[in-house]
Structure formats: C-alpha cells, structure tokens
Amino acid sequence: MSTIADRLIEDEGLRRGVARLTPEKIEKVFKELMAGEGGARLKTYAETCVRCGMCAKACHYYMSHKDPSYTPVAKVSQTMWKLLAAGGRVDPELIYQCAQIAYTECNLCRRCIHYCPLGIDTGYIISVVRRLCHKLGVTPQYIQDTAHSHSATMNQMWVKDDEWPDTLQWQEEEAREEFPGLRIPLDVEGADFMYSVIAPEPKFRTQLIYQAAAIFHAAGLSWTMPSTPGWDNSNMAMFTGDSEIMARVERAHYETAQRLRVKRIVMGECGHAFRAVYDVGNRWLGWKWHPVPVVHSVDFFWELIQQGRIKLTHKYAEPVTIHDPCNIIRGRGLMEKLREVVHFLCDNVVEMYPNREHNYCCCAGGGVINCGPPFKNVRIVGNSIKADQLRATGVHTLIAPCHNCHGGLEDIISKFDLKMHTKFLGDLIYELMEKPEAE
Amino acid sequence: MHALYDLAVGPLAWLAFAIFILGSVYRLMAMRALALKKDAAFVAYISWPHALKSLTHWLTPFGALGWRENPGVTVVTFAFHICLFLAPLFLLGHVVLLDTFFGWSWPTLPETLADALSIVVVLACAYFLWRRLAVPEVRFVTSTQDWVVVSLVGLTFLTGVLAYHGLGDNLFMTTLHILCGEAMLVAIPFTRLSHMLFGFFSRGYIASEFGSVRFAKDW
C-alpha cells in the first residue's frame, strides 16, 4: 500500500528545514514538547484509538482518493504514533513526511469527530505535529512567509502601517460617490462595533471593505475600524504551529478593541480568523472567554435582519446553495442563522448534502491553501467528493461565508468545470439592499 | 494440569483482579491529575449535560453519523460489547464459582442464551480480525497490539464456549479459558482495551467543547 513516502512534494521550506536536522536534535525537541505541552488528551488519544478505521469516510481526502493512507487515523499513524513509538528519535526524512501530512493533507476541519466513537480529535493531534515541525523549523515556505509577516507587521500580508489607513480612506472615498454621507470611522472610542478584517482584504479584496462599510452605513450603526496594527484578525501562525506569534496577534487584536472601548468586535466573513479569535488565541492567553465579545459576520447580519436594519429592494431570484464552513459551523454552530440569512436574501435555496455540521470541507482551510502552489493540485484533486456534492445541487450560485472556503471552492469549480460562482453574504446583501441615499 | 488449574483460580485470579481494579483506578486518577496539570485550558470547558447528551447518541445504534455511515461495524460493535458484558457477568458457571468461594450470588441467564451470546462475541472477534486483513483502511493502521488484544478477547470466549460444550479436554480448556480471561483483565488498564476506561471521558470532553463552546452537535 502506498504511504506518504510515495507522494512527497518538493518544498523549499521543508527541504531546507529538514537539512538542518539530526535524529538527536529531533528527539530533544520532541521530548521538550511532550514534557511541556503533551498532556492527557494526546496520551488518551494515542492509547485508546482502536484503529477501527471508521473515521475513513469522514475525510474528503480519503473519499476523493480512496487511498487508505489518507484516512484521519492513517495520517496520525504515519506521524504522531510513529514519533511517540520512537520517543522522537526519528530520521529527518520522517519529519518531512510529517510536515507534508500535517500542513497539506489535513484541514483541521474536525469532521472526523462525528465518526469516532471515542471522540478522538484528530485535528488536535495534527496540530501537535505542526507544533513540532514549527519548533524544528520545518514549515512550508509559503505559509511560513505569512507567519513571518504576522511577526513583523502584525498582519498576514506585509501591509505597511501607512498603507492600511490609506486603503481605508481610498475605499471611503470610492464609497462616498455612491453614499455621500458614508464614513469609515477610524479609532472612534466607545463605538458599538469594531470591524476587523483579514489582511488579504486591503491587499486584493478591497471591495469587501467597501461593501461592509456600505452595510454598516445603511444599517445606521455606530462602528469603527482601528488605524493601528491589531486590525487584522487573520492568523496563519496558528496554523504553522507558532503559538507564540499566534498569541501576539490575538492579543494585539483584543487590546485594540479594548483601547477603543468598543462593545463588540465584528469579524468579516472568514472562518480560520474566527477560530483563532474565538477558540484558540484566548486559551493560549489564559482567558476562558473573550475580553471583548466577538461576533462573526453571519451572526451580525442575522442580527441586523432581525432588527429590521437591512431592507431589500428585491430577493436574489436564481437558485443558490449553501456551503457550511467548518470554523463557524462545527466551530460556532451558526448553521441555522446562516440559513435564515440566506433565505431572507434568496428565493430559491437548494441544500447540498451532507450539510450543517456534517458538511464536507472546502479543502483550503487549516492553512492548506496558504502552503501555496506546490501543494495546490493535491488539495484540488483531493476534494473531488466536494465537486460531486456541489454538482448534485445543479445550481450556479454558491454561498460560502468564509475566505478560505472561497479560495478552495473556486479552485474546485474551475478544475471540475462546475459552472458555479461563489458569493459572500456581504456580496448579496450589498447587491440586494435598499440604498436610500445612493446616487 | 490440576496444579495449574488451582493456580489459575487461586492466586492468579486474585492477582488478575487486583491488577485490573487497582490498575484501572490508578490509570484514571493519574490521567485526571495529568489533565488538571497540563490541559487546564481544556478541562475548563467540561460540561456534563453536553457530555451526557452526546454519550446518549453514541450509545444508541445508528445514533451518530459515524455509526450510520458504517452500518456493518455498528451492528457488530454493539452486539459485541453488549454480549461481552452480559455473558460473563450473568453466566451460571461464573456465579456458581463466586457463590462457592464468597457466597455472592445473583440471577443468571439461561445457559443456552449465555452460550449464544458468547458465540456472538467469538464471531464478532473473527469479524474484527477479518476487517484487519481485508479492509484496506483498517489494515493500513493495524499493528501487533491490535491483533493481540482482539485475539485475547476472542480466545477467552472461544475456550469458554468449547469448555461449555465439552469439546477438547475439559480441564485443559477450562484452565486455558481462565488464563486467557485473566490476561484480558490485566490488559485492560494498560493496552488499547483501556478505551473501556477512557472512552467515556474522551467523548465527554469533545462533546463539551462542541456543546458549550462551539454550539454544535458532535454526533
């Protein structure tokens, strides 16, 4: 049977990292990691997994390839179980394999938790493998670059301190042609909401900032955006295994909201960022819950609709289908609110199956798409099951309230010629809402 | 052979039960201490109502997605675990033994039923072993320990069934049955069979995360 060793892909970052390793060095770092961070969860999972293979059908990689080395338990047995059995004293080449599996063949989507009777959290085990690879300096080059950017600039895309407010002012100016009274208020203390985005938005999806500003404006809300670092809620360091940088990014984000004394943080339509802010960063920083309440866009739009703050000129007539992003569905249970928002906007909603908590992953999240071109083909071919699921709906509009999902789904749509296009909720709301003072 | 039999029902039985019970208690307490020391940021979210709700789903055949998607495994797994506990605990021969030694007694199953349940366990073990060979995704992750623990359980019940039916030398078969059973008890706290101890907690923990933090079901 084929294993990870039969499908290694050359990556500059992995190759250079592995070249610096020796079995002794790996053992030392592994033992330190286990002593410091390996607790009861890892121990229980490693010991009680009965190797029943029931998790196979949970994973889109396995469902697409039907190769037994792609099942969740196989990914763990080719990485962490081997490391544990050897006490970390392994050949550097194994670390290359571990890194390729952990960074590029698992999206940490947690679908397998619905398949394991013992509740083993494969995503967590894979995260520990990533943590080890990070500590060993073996990370894919592309995603490591984003982690470096977080470290140097506190945002993912090397956006400079002056470029950020400049971009916001540019979008404000553009939007004021359509909405003369619109502002993107910077650093307003005591506003109801601080709106935070991911760095790819100012970098190459500025229309999303425009649309968000239009929605805040039309809804008549008190809101602000920070002009200082802390505006980016994305966090690739979380996915490289660099918990220290991950926590710095999260602290900056929360502290910015605290400095502005806002009542809530509203996050754009991003899944991984929500995971980082809602579920991961707070724990590393020692907060059980969040110092400032955090609201994902789906939740926020739902609230605006409930309050009657968004009115539509018409509903979207063409049939649409809904993709449930893992980080806000399995990660935050927003499946029903997402549906209520979509039904408010669209006349004809066709569900894909399985859906809600059981939905198949987009295969881009978990940092996989951020590992860049070397691994692109694998993640697209590795999700033919998603293509089948999308094709079966027979519709041409796909709503996915997550940036990573957009990227992954667009790739699948193009590769499998599905003749669909993806939309954010913000795209639809902006398109359909009443724009009272628009000229 | 008599001497071995006496050893098996005497000192070895005491030893096996002592290791099983004390070992299990020790493992649970040690794991709890480790969780409190190292996983505090996760233990903090444990929510018993969510854990119990999820466990109810997972203890119901086809009550969770994983069960529904693997129907064959589900039927055999449930039959196996139910029979695994019912047959030995309510077997006339076992209860008579305890009655003789300690004066403990409780109602028993009809002998033919207990026999049938034991055969189910043996067949289920055969099915699990067959899966390890024949199903690629299972074979890929199977290691020596998996063969040993399933075989141990299967042999315990197989020798029990053979002894009951008087197949083979009765004393030999009974002695072998007792020794296998004792090995199985000893193995529970220290091998993959420890899922019997930890499984409820690992499921309960993740159910708490899903229920109380992520507001999503985990079944």
Side-chain angles (χ1 to χ4, degrees), chain A residues 1-3 34-36 38-41 43-45 47-52 54 56-57 62 68-69 71 73-74 77-78 110 113-119 121 278-279 282-283 288-289 329-333 335 357-358, chain B residues 27 31 34-35 38-39 41-42 44-45 58 64-70 73-74 131-132 136-143 146 189-192 194-195 198-199 202-203 205-206 209-210 212-219:
Chain A
M1 279 188 272
S2 80
T3 68
M34 288 300 111
R41 286 181 300 157
K43 197 170 181 167
T44 307
Y45 296 155
E47 192 177 315
T48 60
C49 171
V50 293
R51 275 70 162 168
C52 66
M54 272 174 66
K57 290 178 183 154
Y62 172 75
S69 65
T71 68
V73 60
S77 74
Q78 292 172 96
R110 302 192 186 112
I113 283 171
H114 293 266
Y115 283 72
C116 176
L118 298 166
D121 186 351
Y278 181 79
D279 205 5
N282 57 314
R283 296 189 194 205
K288 184 173 178 184
W289 299 109
I329 305 300
R330 280 188 283 276
R332 180 56 182 81
M335 51 274 169
E357 289 103 325
H358 297 159
Chain B
R27 295 289 333 262
M31 199 62 91
L34 182 64
K38 303 281 286 292
D39 302 71
F42 302 88
Y45 299 93
W58 281 97
L65 184 64
W67 294 136
R68 286 195 292 278
E69 298 271 306
N70 294 282
V73 185
T74 303
R131 279 188 87 235
R132 296 218 169 276
E137 66 265 27
V138 186
R139 193 168 73 193
F140 189 84
V141 295
T142 296
S143 63
D146 300 298
F190 306 106
T191 64
R192 231 153 260 169
S194 65
H195 71 269
F198 299 125
S202 54
R203 182 87 249 166
Y205 156 68
I206 206 72
E209 289 275 13
F210 269 64
S212 72
V213 180
R214 301 172 190 152
F215 307 104
K217 62 182 182 185
D218 68 317
W219 55 84

Side-chain angles (χ1 to χ4, degrees), chain A residues 46-92:
Chain A
E47 192 177 315
T48 60
C49 171
V50 293
R51 275 70 162 168
C52 66
M54 272 174 66
C55 55
K57 290 178 183 154
C59 184
H60 45 286
Y61 280 100
Y62 172 75
M63 292 302 282
S64 303
H65 289 287
K66 295 287 179 182
D67 175 335
S69 65
Y70 276 110
T71 68
V73 60
K75 291 176 209 174
V76 171
S77 74
Q78 292 172 96
T79 57
M80 187 49 87
W81 295 168
K82 276 194 179 172
L83 289 160
L84 284 169
R89 199 179 179 84
V90 296
D91 191 83

